[in-house]
Amino acid sequence: MSGAQGAARLAGAHVLVAGARRTGASVVDVLLEVGATVTVADGDPGQLASLGDRKVATTTDLTTLPAGCDLVVTSPGFRPDSPLAGAAHAAGIEMIGEPELAWRLGNDPAVCPDGPPRWLAITGTNGKTTTTGMLEAILLAAGEDAVACGNIGLPIVDALRAGHRVLAVELSSFQLEWSPSVAPYAGAVLNVADDHLDWHGSMAAYAGAKARVLRGEVAIAGLDDERAAGLLRTAPAARHVGFTRGDPGPGELGIVTERGQGLLLDRAFADDGVRRGTVLAGLDDVAPPGPPGEANALAAAALARAHGVPAEAVAAGLRAYAPGAHRGAVVAESNGVRWLDDSKATNPHAAAASLAAHDRVVWVAGGMLKGALVDDLVLAHRGRLAGVVVLGVDRTAILAALARHAPEVPVVDVGGGDDGPMSPSQPDAMTRAAHAAASMAHPGDVVLLAPAAASMDMFRDYAARGDAFAAAAQQVAGLGEPTTDPSS
């Protein structure tokens, strides 16, 4: 099928939906609504059973296409070199992702009679979810019919079916890989660092996927990140806007200090020639505080201003925004030591930003590095390390980097393996990590979980890892039960 098809072209078509989790189920629902015949493929029979009484065929075969297949809509987990992608390519069948399907349906008057919703899209190695949440809060403060969707949780097709007029869309590189025609009205690349190289195959391919958000009307990128700034310079968008934590130039958003107060300043969408810009908010309106939060707020503000949101709504939205869990939250404090959960720091770039916010750190790190290197991370932050605790499947790479670049720093290796139940006789790896960290921490120090790696070697996801850290921190600090929800 051609890339231009909407609801009419899907009516009667046989579509294979690869993946039956939340987004897959939403894709099934919208395809059935427009009259497609649907087969769902998932290797987990339990996930297929969760589809209930939906009128679909199901299969656990993830290597071949069903007879008569016209289109494949895939979950982001399927790589371009997967057997299913190879089978689709060999058969000449198009394979797209859920964002691409939503984009095509949104441009179909039969689905959206009032015209397509406006997409304001965010991608980057780190900070996507925070920026998307900030953007949603700003849009709502401005009275827009807006919702955060995409990689943040709500499938885009569900936002479309609900009739929202402005979409704050978080897009991962995986999703963008399967989105050949998505061109958001305004798109932002926050930063680009080594990540998911095992999936994309090369840094060039990874950056190229990120760059797809910059082909609409307004391209926005972080100027303090060399790779993101490079993507902005070559973006095909008609208008280029940069953001920086420094003093902004013409066509940029940045931060200035007046009377001792840090201010977010817009010189891209409003420059009156007197102030040389419009103040959007104070740094005290931004949470989480610190460099990553400030950069995310600037990106969210730039996207909102591209849409025409007034300055006062930017400040109101940022004040209303509450950061999500596992992004630097304090989970315990005892004897002058604070324990911080930044389990969302799943790559070296994110861990670097987390470490940079503290002067003296006992660092808890490790997991699945996904091909990323940690030498630069250790080199840049060895001076603030009071100790390091490593765990997880790729911990030897971190241990080697520490031995090369920070041999004077105390290091404890607590091993890896699946996270198991805590008990006094056989404590799990995270509890061993907490005890080891406590033995190295002194009053004024921070014990920081900023793993620089993914979690799936030991935990269900980064949230489960953060919950385990919080529980162990509370136990070791003698504070009783954790304040976080272990089931989150």
Side-chain angles (χ1 to χ4, degrees), residues 365-370 390-398 413 415-418 453-458:
M368 297 175 64
L369 287 171
K370 301 172 292 182
V390 294
L391 71 167
V393 66
D394 289 335
R395 63 190 184 281
T396 55
I398 301 174
D413 177 2
D418 291 335
S455 58
M456 288 79 75
D457 58 327
M458 296 175 64

Side-chain angles (χ1 to χ4, degrees), residues 149-393:
C149 56
N151 196 56
I152 198 171
L154 177 70
I156 307 169
V157 291
D158 284 350
L160 191 75
R161 293 163 70 207
H164 294 289
R165 301 307 302 152
V166 186
L167 307 183
V169 187
E170 178 185 332
L171 292 170
S172 70
S173 60
F174 300 167
Q175 290 173 311
L176 286 163
E177 184 70 34
W178 296 116
S179 302
S181 64
V182 170
Y185 173 78
V189 176
L190 307 178
N191 43 62
V192 183
D194 292 356
D195 198 15
H196 301 305
L197 302 188
D198 53 344
W199 198 96
H200 288 280
S202 70
M203 188 66 202
Y206 174 59
K210 294 291 189 189
R212 290 187 173 192
V213 301
L214 303 179
R215 53 191 180 184
E217 293 296 317
V218 184
I220 298 164
L223 301 180
D224 301 331
D225 184 277
E226 182 178 345
R227 286 169 171 156
L231 295 180
L232 182 63
R233 287 192 293 270
T234 59
R239 185 172 187 181
H240 291 188
V241 175
F243 63 88
T244 172
R245 292 185 58 252
D247 195 346
E252 299 172 3
L253 281 76
I255 297 174
V256 297
T257 301
E258 293 186 3
R259 298 187 180 93
Q261 182 183 11
L263 303 171
L264 274 62
L265 188 70
D266 175 8
R267 294 194 63 194
F269 302 99
D271 193 334
D272 61 13
V274 179
R275 296 188 59 96
R276 297 190 311 122
T278 294
V279 173
L280 302 178
L283 290 186
D284 55 358
D285 294 322
V286 177
E294 292 165 7
N296 296 338
L298 288 165
L303 287 161
R305 296 287 280 169
H307 179 60
V309 165
E312 56 270 20
V314 175
L318 290 175
R319 285 194 295 269
Y321 172 71
H326 312 296
R327 292 170 172 82
V330 177
V331 295
E333 189 163 359
S334 180
N335 300 320
V337 176
R338 289 189 303 149
W339 298 70
L340 273 62
D341 166 20
D342 196 4
S343 185
K344 190 66 169 63
T346 57
N347 55 63
H349 187 268
S354 192
L355 286 165
H358 309 286
D359 293 330
R360 185 175 155 88
V361 177
V362 177
W363 179 30
V364 181
M368 297 175 64
L369 287 171
K370 301 172 292 182
L373 302 176
V374 294
D375 287 78
D376 289 346
L377 174 64
V378 172
L379 268 170
H381 298 285
R382 60 186 177 184
R384 68 183 76 246
L385 298 178
V388 182
V389 182
V390 294
L391 71 167
V393 66

